Amino acid sequence: MSLRELAAYKQNLIVGASLQVSAPLGQYDSEKLVNIGTNRWSFKPELGVSKARGPLVLDLSLAAILFTDNDNFLGGHDS
């Protein structure tokens, strides 16, 4: 896109989506309550929408983080 085309650009609707996946990596010690690593997978789906309405730009972003079970929490104890 040239500078002239960029200056004349008018935004209408932009939609974007992403998925972040985290594997159970790092140093995990089931005997400690706080760990650098984790013992479970996590998934973060995200959706973003941007809509121009005259001089205003409206943005909406939705995200959630989903975790699998950690069956080895603090030595296998629930609490």
Side-chain angles (χ1 to χ4, degrees):
M1 182 181 286
S2 70
L3 288 177
R4 195 168 290 200
E5 291 171 329
L6 182 61
Y9 174 76
K10 301 290 184 202
Q11 177 186 328
N12 186 14
L13 177 69
I14 299 173
V15 179
S18 70
L19 175 64
Q20 179 180 340
V21 178
S22 296
L25 300 174
Q27 297 175 338
Y28 184 80
D29 185 351
S30 61
E31 300 298 318
K32 295 184 178 180
L33 181 61
V34 178
N35 280 279
I36 295 172
T38 61
N39 196 33
R40 59 187 175 178
W41 288 84
S42 69
F43 305 91
K44 182 181 179 187
E46 191 166 8
L47 177 67
V49 179
S50 180
K51 173 72 174 160
R53 300 287 281 171
L56 298 176
V57 177
L58 306 171
D59 293 323
L60 176 66
S61 177
L62 301 171
I65 302 177
L66 309 168
F67 296 95
T68 60
D69 289 336
N70 180 359
D71 297 330
N72 196 16
F73 176 73
L74 201 55
H77 303 290
D78 290 336
S79 55

